[in-house]
């Protein structure tokens, strides 16, 4: 029986296993869910990989208190290449459960997709690893290392610190970071760039306290209006991000993102325009993009006829490869202060920052994955960018500079990761499991 048939035969048991894993409410935030749920998920993952030759599979504590599943499955040839398999078992909270069409922690079939929190991000990728290894059986011609972390969604850096403190434990020639996906179902892709980010909170102060808008409105400056003017200065009329000192003219040279598909994926309302003077791909993956995440000011209900003395906004600036986060932070800070009208006082507090990532795509692992996806899907693998940040990729690059890092996975726009009604297309799990199995064989052969 060939690999394709083996993977296909495993899909019925894969659904049952994914249902078991989705049922574990492994949100790595003890304020919302019991920590025992993450422990239960970690043990589930450990046991499944232990059955597949990772005899030393175990839970390792990380500095943020989470536990990562790590293990080694050696090849018969001591000189074989080493491949590290990555995913994470923690999930986002379900958010508004009333917005779900199915119970969030119960894997449910709807119109050919499997719904449930974590079904795609990232428990579907754990199942993809398991399927690939089961299909190969004993025929795995490379050393395998495993790390399935437990706090990725919280962004608390547990695994990043663990890697830096234990560099030899996860050292590999190729690293499959399975926490991204394809642009659409059936179109295989490797994510080759990740945007970095800078989060700041900008606070504007104009008055010592509220004053009556009838008695003082006109000459007295309004802090909220000043904040609005500052925020408006960060985009031009076309919607381009226009932060002084940041290049907003770069072009994306990978796969395009068709505008109509993006409109559908993003849920744009009828008549609402796409932003910017570049292509969708340019705006997403090659240029900076600023988002206003929240504003502190009086709510509409309960507001009074008073001039607002102070207001604040939380901003998220995404930056493409080639832009350092400290440079972007400095540019954003300077822009916000320069844009402030009327001499109002401005404070800019750095909340978080992360570096962008760009993968090397000219090595044997990348070529082997392109060939594997071509065979599995029957169509060429494309290159994508991703707007999100995965700080672990930069830690891997710094710690293992000679390793090839390939970002892939079962997520795609219809998966609605991080939102209510998350789902996965089971054909993506099946084809990517086949891709991984073919890759492990092909990568070993390419190095002989």
């Amino acid at each position: 029986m060939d690999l394709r048939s083996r993977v296909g035969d495993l899909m019925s048991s894969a659904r049952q296993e994914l249902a078991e894993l989705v049922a574990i409410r492994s949100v790595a935030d003890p304020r919302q869910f019991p920590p025992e749920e993450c422990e239960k998920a970690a043990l589930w993952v450990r046991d499944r990989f232990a059955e597949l030759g990772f005899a030393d599979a175990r839970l390792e504590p990380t500095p943020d208190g989470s536990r990562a599943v790590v293990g080694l499955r050696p090849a018969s040839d001591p000189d074989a290449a080493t491949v590290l398999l990555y995913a994470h078992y923690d999930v986002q909270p379900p958010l508004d459960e009333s917005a779900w069409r199915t119970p969030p922690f119960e894997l449910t079939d709807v119109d050919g997709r499997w719904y449930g929190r974590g079904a795609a991000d990232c428990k579907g990728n754990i199942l993809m690893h398991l399927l690939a290894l089961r299909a190969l059986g004993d025929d795995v011609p490379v050393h395998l290392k495993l790390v399935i972390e437990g706090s990725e969604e919280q962004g608390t850096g547990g695994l990043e610190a663990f890697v830096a403190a234990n560099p030899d434990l996860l050292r590999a020639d190729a690293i499959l970071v399975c926490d991204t996906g394809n642009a659409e179902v059936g179109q295989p892709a490797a994510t080759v760039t990740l945007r970095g980010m800078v989060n700041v909170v900008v606070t504007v102060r104009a008055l010592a306290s509220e004053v009556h808008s009838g008695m003082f409105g006109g000459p007295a400056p309004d802090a909220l209006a000043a904040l609005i003017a500052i925020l408006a200065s960060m985009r031009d009329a076309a919607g381009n991000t226009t932060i002084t000192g940041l290049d907003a003219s770069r072009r994306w040279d990978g796969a395009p993102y068709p505008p109509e598909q993006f409109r559908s994926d993003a849920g744009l309302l009828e008549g609402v325009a796409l932003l910017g003077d570049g292509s969708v791909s340019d705006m997403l993956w090659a240029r900076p993009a600023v988002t206003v995440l929240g504003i502190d000011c009086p709510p509409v209900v309960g507001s009074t006829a008073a001039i607002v003395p102070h207001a604040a906004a939380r901003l998220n600036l995404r930056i493409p490869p080639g832009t350092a986060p400290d440079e972007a932070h400095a540019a954003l800070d300077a822009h916000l202060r320069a844009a402030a009208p009327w001499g109002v006082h401005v404070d800019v507090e750095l909340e978080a920052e992360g570096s962008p990532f760009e993968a090397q795509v000219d090595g044997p692992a990348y070529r082997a994955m392109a060939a594997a996806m071509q065979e599995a899907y029957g169509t060429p693998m494309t290159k994508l960018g991703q707007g999100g940040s995965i700080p672990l990729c930069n830690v891997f690059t710094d710690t293992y500079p000679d390793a090839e890092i390939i970002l892939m996975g079962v997520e795609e726009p219809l998966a609605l990761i991080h939102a209510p009604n998350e789902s996965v297309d089971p054909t993506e799990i099946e084809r990517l499991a086949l891709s991984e199995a073919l890759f492990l064989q092909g990568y070993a052969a390419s190095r002989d």
Side-chain angles (χ1 to χ4, degrees):
M1 185 183 297
D2 64 11
L3 278 175
R4 188 181 299 273
S5 298
R6 290 180 208 163
V7 172
D9 288 347
L10 290 165
M11 283 302 294
S12 59
S13 60
R15 193 221 174 274
Q16 176 57 38
E17 284 191 303
L18 186 58
E20 293 175 12
L21 195 50
V22 166
I24 303 172
R25 302 177 300 160
S26 50
V27 177
D29 184 351
R31 299 169 300 180
Q32 301 183 67
F33 289 88
E36 292 79 13
E37 292 288 292
C38 282
E39 180 82 2
K40 184 177 179 181
L43 291 172
W44 190 100
V45 172
R46 182 203 64 185
D47 293 347
R48 293 308 185 281
F49 282 93
E51 295 168 356
L52 290 171
F54 292 85
D56 69 338
R58 62 198 184 276
L59 307 188
E60 288 280 359
T62 73
D64 68 359
S66 66
R67 304 180 77 184
V69 182
V70 301
L72 169 67
R73 175 177 167 170
S76 58
D77 179 2
D79 296 324
T82 300
V83 176
L84 173 64
L85 307 179
Y86 167 88
H88 62 86
Y89 62 78
D90 67 304
V91 299
Q92 286 281 332
L95 303 176
D96 180 7
E97 294 198 26
S98 67
W100 284 76
R101 60 191 300 187
T102 64
F105 293 106
E106 181 180 322
L107 195 69
T108 307
D109 297 21
V110 180
D111 298 331
R113 297 182 68 93
W114 297 346
Y115 281 75
R117 175 56 89 220
D121 182 21
C122 187
K123 293 175 177 178
N125 287 310
I126 295 173
L127 264 294
M128 181 261 289
H129 287 318
L130 292 171
L131 281 177
L133 297 181
R134 286 174 182 151
L136 287 169
D138 295 331
D139 186 19
V140 181
V142 297
H143 302 296
L144 289 176
K145 292 184 177 181
L146 175 73
V147 60
I148 310 293
E149 71 166 308
S151 61
E152 192 276 341
E153 299 293 10
Q154 294 301 310
T156 46
L159 186 60
E160 290 91 319
F162 179 82
V163 170
N166 302 273
D168 291 332
L169 185 62
L170 302 179
R171 191 177 305 277
D173 300 294
I175 302 174
L176 303 188
V177 176
C178 295
D179 191 20
T180 61
N182 299 334
E184 60 180 304
V185 173
Q187 297 296 317
T191 298
V192 298
T193 67
L194 299 169
R195 288 197 288 193
M197 60 89 181
V198 175
N199 280 6
V200 302
V201 175
V202 54
T203 302
V204 175
R205 294 180 174 85
L207 301 169
S209 66
E210 290 85 351
V211 292
H212 192 277
S213 60
M215 296 178 64
F216 296 96
D222 177 343
L224 181 54
L227 177 62
I228 291 170
I230 294 170
L231 300 180
S233 74
M234 296 190 298
R235 290 187 183 272
D236 64 17
N240 295 291
T241 294
T242 52
I243 295 172
T244 306
L246 294 185
D247 183 5
S249 63
R250 296 176 185 169
R251 300 285 179 181
W252 172 253
D253 62 1
Y257 198 151
E260 290 310 308
Q261 181 186 339
F262 179 82
R263 293 184 66 90
S264 174
D265 293 343
L268 265 71
L269 300 181
E270 184 177 354
V272 177
L274 295 174
L275 301 186
D277 56 18
S279 69
V280 170
S281 299
D282 294 337
M283 302 301 294
L284 275 178
W285 303 322
R287 300 182 181 182
V290 69
T291 300
V292 180
L293 301 180
I295 296 179
D296 283 344
C297 63
V300 171
V301 177
S303 58
T304 64
I307 299 174
V308 176
H310 50 80
R314 183 173 181 239
L315 309 180
N316 170 246
L317 173 63
R318 299 286 178 171
I319 52 175
T323 301
D326 57 343
E327 296 173 356
H329 172 226
L332 178 59
D333 185 293
H335 180 101
L336 294 170
R337 295 179 189 278
W342 317 320
V344 295
H345 296 182
V346 174
D347 177 68
V348 182
E349 177 187 0
L350 176 64
E351 185 180 71
E353 63 180 30
S355 296
F357 169 80
E358 186 166 15
Q360 300 300 311
V361 297
D362 56 356
Y366 185 88
R367 291 192 293 270
M369 184 58 76
M373 286 191 174
Q374 168 83 52
E375 183 174 347
Y377 279 82
T379 191
M381 182 183 84
T382 60
K383 296 186 296 183
L384 298 177
Q386 181 172 295
S389 303
I390 305 178
L392 179 64
C393 289
N394 292 300
V395 175
F396 279 152
T397 297
D398 293 341
T399 309
Y400 313 121
D402 297 327
E404 291 185 71
I405 300 173
I406 300 176
L407 291 92
M408 54 183 279
V410 303
E411 303 158 21
E412 34 77 30
L414 296 180
L416 295 179
I417 64 170
H418 293 207
N421 300 308
E422 179 181 350
S423 68
V424 68
D425 188 311
T427 64
E428 290 291 87
I429 296 177
E430 183 174 357
R431 285 182 287 204
L432 282 164
L434 177 58
S435 298
E436 182 172 309
L438 292 167
F439 164 78
L440 293 174
Q441 289 186 331
Y443 180 49
S446 72
R447 295 172 59 90
D448 290 342

